[in-house]
Amino acid sequence: MDIGGANTKAARLHEGTMTTLTRPFEVWRDRGALATVLRELATETGPADSVAITMTAELSDAFRTKREGVAFVLDAAEDALGSPRVLTTAGELVSLEAARARPLDVAAANWMATALMVASAHPDALLIDIGSTTTDIVPIAGGRVAARGRTDLDRLLAGELVYTGVLRTNLAAIAPRVPVGGAWSPVASEQFAISADVHLVLGRLEAYDCPTPDGRPATVELARERIARLVCADTEQLSADAIDAIAAFLYGEQLRQIEEAAGRHALPPTAHVVAVGAGGAMGREVAGRLGRAVAEVPWNGPAAALAALLAC
Amino acid sequence: MDIGGANTKAARLHEGTMTTLTRPFEVWRDRGALATVLRELATETGPADSVAITMTAELSDAFRTKREGVAFVLDAAEDALGSPRVLTTAGELVSLEAARARPLDVAAANWMATALMVASAHPDALLIDIGSTTTDIVPIAGGRVAARGRTDLDRLLAGELVYTGVLRTNLAAIAPRVPVGGAWSPVASEQFAISADVHLVLGRLEAYDCPTPDGRPATVELARERIARLVCADTEQLSADAIDAIAAFLYGEQLRQIEEAAGRHALPPTAHVVAVGAGGAMGREVAGRLGRAVAEVPWNGPAAALAALLAC
């Protein structure tokens, strides 16, 4: 299980078949319900000989510190799952007791699950996992995970965590200004529109798997209205073409930010990019810009990677 | 009355005394209650010979277009206040019927109320009104409001509207990276902390007049926890000094953005800056950077300016 701040994912590997389930659950809304959510997910995915967890939920502002968040998640996991193993940022599976003793080593470790899976299939590769909110970029060298950062902060500094994604990213945080009618307009610092709106109007979105900022449906027309608000405008003031030009610019900015971070990792030219996550298509586009071929892995997502790791 | 998206303000001028009231009311939460809020505010401020309104609430994503938002606000105002006059972005007070006929001319006009008040006191001046969320920068020349933009979009483009303020601005939208331990960290694109947190830890905030992003109290200690989360960290990982350095950088970035926009307006060197709004102190700091003296006006806020205008 991959216990995130907005979604919790479960994966079960049984006789070579992977079953995965995702449950939207925003931990800050009702943290007391986490154990119940985990228990229900465990029941739905089916019985398992062993269970492992990883988490990012501890970063939620439901918790004052990561230490408090990790302790809370571990308690809920014990309550719901018995004695699951817990993944560390060093790639080990440790006991609940060991995890409790070193909470900062199990915080935000889910990228490591995917990285270990990639390393087992491709000894030299660049993992680009573009998710709903964040992007993990992890170099794999000589069959080992060659990441420099372990904490989220160190990973931000190292270009291994880029806080941009294909669904929930606030457009006001992607770029300080956008093109409007041949000029550059500063943006309104509100939560008027998100990256899902941009990817939707550009025809690049597989599924709008999160709430819309204004609570209206996830249609192209309404997404354009949300994007227009980014420059304090509406669809009477801005044409569909003008709005789509803003969307195209912001998509390009996301691409540029990910490419820039990915380009910081020195790898042999033969190393392929493994592009996974909700933004897999965007990851393959980054690979093209980097001049790298793309390779595949058997499973998608940290929960599935963790299940595969546990079964080894 | 100044009907905003997050606050509605009423001011009454009676025998030279101005009474002002502010009611927090987020129109997108319960737009149906707007008429009631206006009626209650009118009762609390006391009887008036005439009433005028201005608005910014139409930008809220409670409304699909400005036209829809203006019509809604005008209906609520008629319901609650009878036949108030309505300020246009040209500085005229028109009837409700005239406002209904030209909704885009009365949308987001509240900056004009303040600008007219400044112009009547200072024929050459630069109005800098730093509010909770946005900053209005309006040149006054020869006793006239010399703004180039009328709509919010045109005002953004002209450097007359800067979407930054002392309370509600999401820190992730102020700067794409912040200094951490001698390096630059990209920021987490979430709503973890707002400008009120920055101004609070720097000792520059008069009042934390808005909800905190995490729902915890508005103390310096908890504001530091919120700011640490901007780089996916917590107060175990970052010292108070390190967090305050991030805050100081972001304050400086806000100052720089406002100064840059203010510097675009060519005015005689003798023109003073009139700094008003919740961020008045910050506005005076901008004046100092521009090498301009500071002048005062009798009233603070568009509602009071509108009452004064109506009484002329």
Side-chain angles (χ1 to χ4, degrees), chain B residues 164-224:
Chain B
T164 205
V166 295
L167 291 180
R168 296 167 192 275
T169 308
N170 183 347
L171 299 191
I174 295 178
R177 47 187 55 77
V178 295
V180 180
W184 290 93
S185 174
V187 300
S189 172
E190 299 278 3
Q191 177 86 355
F192 282 146
I194 56 180
S195 50
D197 294 310
V198 159
H199 292 243
L200 178 64
V201 305
L202 298 176
R204 292 177 180 275
L205 196 63
E206 283 184 34
Y208 202 120
D209 277 337
C210 65
T212 60
D214 58 7
R216 294 198 182 85
T219 66
V220 169
E221 185 191 0
L222 294 167
R224 285 203 181 106

Side-chain angles (χ1 to χ4, degrees), chain A residues 61-64 66-67 152 156-157 163 184 186-190 216 221 225 229 232 234 236-237, chain B residues 61-64 66-67 152 156-157 163 169 184 187-190 216 221 225 229 232 234 236-237:
Chain A
D61 61 15
F63 312 110
R64 290 186 57 185
K66 293 173 194 293
R67 188 179 295 275
D152 276 347
L156 280 171
L157 290 166
Y163 220 104
W184 289 94
V187 300
S189 170
E190 300 278 3
R216 296 199 181 84
E221 185 191 0
E225 291 182 3
R229 232 170 256 131
C232 300
D234 63 18
E236 287 193 47
Q237 286 176 292
Chain B
D61 61 13
F63 311 110
R64 289 186 56 184
K66 294 173 194 294
R67 189 179 294 275
D152 277 347
L156 280 172
L157 290 166
Y163 221 105
T169 308
W184 290 93
V187 300
S189 172
E190 299 278 3
R216 294 198 182 85
E221 185 191 0
E225 291 181 3
R229 232 170 255 131
C232 300
D234 63 18
E236 286 192 49
Q237 284 176 293

Side-chain angles (χ1 to χ4, degrees), chain B residues 240-267:
Chain B
D241 281 352
I243 293 166
D244 293 358
I246 294 173
F249 171 77
L250 290 171
Y251 179 85
E253 280 298 287
Q254 287 196 295
L255 208 56
R256 189 188 59 72
Q257 288 163 21
I258 296 167
E259 182 191 351
E260 200 171 279
R264 287 172 61 183
H265 303 286
L267 283 172

Side-chain angles (χ1 to χ4, degrees), chain B residues 135-159:
Chain B
T135 295
D136 293 313
I137 300 173
V138 188
I140 312 289
R144 302 180 57 146
V145 177
R148 279 174 292 169
R150 298 293 160 186
T151 66
D152 277 347
L153 173 56
D154 286 341
R155 297 177 64 236
L156 280 172
L157 290 166

